[in-house]
DNA sequence: CCGACTTTGTGCACACGTTCACAAGCGCTA
DNA sequence: TAGCGCTTGTGAACGTGTGCACAAAGTCGG
């Protein structure tokens, strides 16, 4: 290994210098769980919760992976990131896995959520029973529309966006959901950040600029649609190519 | 190159044998665009459309990448997958890029969308102006609730799920959006698939089983929240570790 | 107590995706 | 036309994620 090519220019990776760069994700501790694995753990957790309700007490990696729609080796590797809680020759205890995944995902602590922008989407989110049911109580709603302020939606009164700092502090909001029109999103984001919210879920189709310590995830339906569209197009292309090149003309 | 290690076991990649395996994604043609790049192309497209409206005619990879929130090298590589449409020393013509990305994403063709499950979320989706605005006209709505059948939502009458085959064929639906309660999702999915829908966007928190030729994307808000929760927890852990190990106790 | 059988946990190789760094190419100026 | 400065396009290194295949470790029947 090493100097395979003759012109290695002493790549030293600039030890600890790097000015204001992007911080890919993890640097310090090597024992980090891959982001992709975290997303899957959340899925396993949902499947396992369902199984627990059906009084299933034990499950093998093969069965669980089928239910979660993944490869069984991947499932075992994912679970290995959080520890060794299986019994060889038997499988995993459902309850143990639920507890351990919840621990790793930080679900032992409740995370209060606020929704900003109580329009079509905001209403649906505020009324969604799936959040509180999974440890994410919606505890504050915000909008700028005077007709909405003070109105109860899903059992919670809508506050004015100007009150974000106070209300978020009082109700210990740790996750902010942005469901405003695109032009308002960055402004709302800035307010949330200065109110101390460190996690943001953004539905507005804009790229948010945030400081390094804030985690943003976005849900962009148009992008999802376009990815689907791409696959349709690619498939059509392949079919066309197959017709042209490979296929023997019948007759 | 070649036999670096002493025990090369003649890895021949089993020429064309592979029985009924999973087909990871692409195999045949090497000139495939990475999935991750496709998602970003959709984002670039949105940014570029905004620029075009502001009469920006030319943009460099540096500027565009900043606006899209990615590394400029990544942006250039992404664009290189679709061809060479830049001018060295100058940058890219906005209009050209828009056209080319739309071509690759298959957006030259309109993709009719249907929404199944017109509850809280389904209403929001049916009323969402962002879909038709981006080439995805919502052309059919379905539910099982008799009180909803025949009612107009967002200008379209709600049909009964039993009519999925007929209505989807008539209106040439190519993308199905599932917004039903979780237990109904798989059934709805099966109906859509047998009606010939090949792309599905699923909001119900369940793992859908579909044939190989159907493309499914899921939007799972609880999973998104849990990923955010994980990062909060990890951050808290790191802080605690830093306190314990490294930091000098003051005083 | 042993040996057969089952399933986990993981080392390893490969595939995919990201980033760097720079030659190639273009426009502009003299 | 030659030279200069700028930006693209990409080869190659690197890092991350995936999947195979198997040893390790357990259960269970005899
Ligand atoms: N409706 C959908 O199904 C859907 C789907 C995908 C994405 N989105 C995105 O979600 C966002 C909301 O969509 P919608 O359909 O609910 O829009 P909407 O117009 O129905 O609601 C927007 C709400 O935000 C409020 N608002 C405006 N400016 C604000 C500000 N500065 N601070 C706080 N609140 C403010 C408005 O008063 C309104 O109540 C948009 O960005 C949209 O692109 C919506
Ligand atoms: N509301 C949200 O913000 C939100 C967020 C994330 C995920 N989801 C998920 O989206 C789905 C819908 O959520 P919602 O809040 O709109 O629920 P909802 O109960 O308001 O609406 C569900 C609708 O589906 C219809 N339906 C039931 N069975 C059906 C069937 N077999 N075929 C067709 N339609 C059927 C019902 O009549 C109802 O109109 C759920 O799976 C939910 O978990 C919702």
């Amino acid at each position: 290994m090493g100097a395979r090519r003759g012109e290695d220019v002493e790549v030293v990776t600039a030890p600890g210098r790097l000015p204001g760069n992007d911080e890919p994700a993890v640097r310090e501790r090597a024992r980090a769980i891959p982001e992709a694995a975290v997303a899957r753990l959340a899925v396993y957790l949902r499947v396992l919760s369902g199984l627990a309700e059906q009084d299933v007490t034990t499950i093998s990696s093969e069965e669980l992976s089928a239910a979660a729609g993944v490869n069984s080796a991947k499932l075992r590797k994912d679970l290995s990131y959080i520890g060794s809680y299986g019994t060889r020759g038997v499988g995993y205890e459902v309850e143990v896995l639920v507890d351990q995944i919840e621990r790793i995902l930080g679900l032992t602590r409740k995370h209060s959520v606020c929704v900003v922008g109580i329009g079509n989407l905001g209403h649906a989110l505020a009324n969604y029973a799936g959040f509180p049911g999974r440890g994410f109580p919606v505890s504050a709603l915000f909008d700028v529309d005077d007709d909405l302020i003070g109105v109860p939606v899903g059992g919670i009164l809508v506050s004015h966006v100007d009150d974000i700092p106070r209300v978020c502090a009082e109700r210990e909001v740790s996750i902010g959901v942005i469901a405003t029109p695109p032009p308002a999103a960055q402004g709302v984001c800035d307010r949330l950040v200065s109110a101390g919210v460190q996690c943001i879920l953004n539905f507005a189709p804009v790229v948010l600029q945030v400081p390094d310590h804030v985690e943003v995830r976005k849900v962009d339906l148009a992008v999802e649609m376009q990815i689907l569209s791409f696959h349709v197009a690619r498939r059509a292309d392949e079919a066309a190519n197959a017709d042209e090149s490979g296929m023997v003309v019948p007759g």
Side-chain angles (χ1 to χ4, degrees), chain A:
Chain A
M1 291 282 166
R4 188 100 47 89
R5 198 156 298 264
E7 3 132 336
D8 275 23
V9 201
E10 189 133 4
V11 181
V12 203
T13 336
R17 184 43 76 103
L18 324 169
N21 76 347
D22 262 334
E23 269 304 305
V26 185
R27 169 75 47 93
E28 291 275 325
R29 322 199 166 256
R31 61 208 185 80
I33 303 177
E35 184 89 8
V38 173
R40 287 190 299 267
L41 282 170
V43 174
Y44 306 153
L45 177 58
R46 194 180 59 221
V47 173
L48 287 164
S49 302
L51 290 169
E53 278 175 21
Q54 294 166 41
D55 298 319
V56 177
T57 57
T58 294
I59 193 167
S60 72
S61 64
E62 209 66 46
E63 295 168 293
L64 182 53
S65 66
V70 302
N71 181 307
S72 74
K74 198 188 309 200
L75 176 124
R76 287 199 298 276
K77 181 146 290 190
D78 288 345
L79 292 181
S80 80
Y81 291 126
I82 67 175
S84 290
Y85 300 105
T87 307
R88 293 170 192 229
V90 179
Y92 301 89
E93 255 188 82
V94 172
E95 205 178 328
V96 172
L97 276 195
V98 168
D99 287 351
Q100 292 304 325
I101 295 177
E102 285 186 341
R103 177 178 62 80
I104 288 290
L105 295 183
L107 302 178
T108 45
R109 185 181 175 286
K110 287 256 181 297
H111 298 270
S112 279
V113 173
C114 76
V115 179
V116 189
I118 312 301
N120 283 312
L121 185 59
H123 269 87
L125 294 171
N127 283 311
Y128 184 40
F131 291 156
R134 299 209 154 274
F136 296 95
V138 177
S139 57
L141 305 176
F142 300 100
D143 207 299
V144 279
D145 187 342
D146 284 335
D147 294 344
L148 276 169
I149 312 295
V151 173
V153 175
I156 297 172
L157 299 187
V158 177
S159 308
H160 194 277
V161 281
D162 290 344
D163 291 331
I164 284 179
R166 185 177 53 79
V167 175
C168 285
E170 280 175 12
R171 307 187 191 171
E172 294 183 312
V173 168
S174 59
I175 298 179
V177 176
I178 298 179
T180 64
Q186 183 66 57
V188 163
C189 175
D190 293 344
R191 287 177 191 230
L192 287 171
V193 169
S194 49
V197 174
Q198 304 215 338
C199 294
I200 289 178
L201 184 56
N202 178 34
F203 284 88
V206 290
V207 179
L208 293 180
Q209 309 290 342
V210 294
D212 281 353
H213 67 279
V214 175
E215 193 79 26
V216 176
R217 294 192 65 87
K218 69 175 196 304
V219 175
D220 191 326
L221 303 195
V223 169
E224 297 295 330
M225 295 275 183
Q226 287 170 5
I227 295 172
L228 288 172
S229 168
F230 166 78
H231 286 291
V232 180
R234 194 172 57 84
R235 217 166 279 164
D237 277 2
E238 266 170 24
N241 282 347
D243 280 354
E244 271 179 41
S245 60
M247 307 299 270
V248 178
V249 183

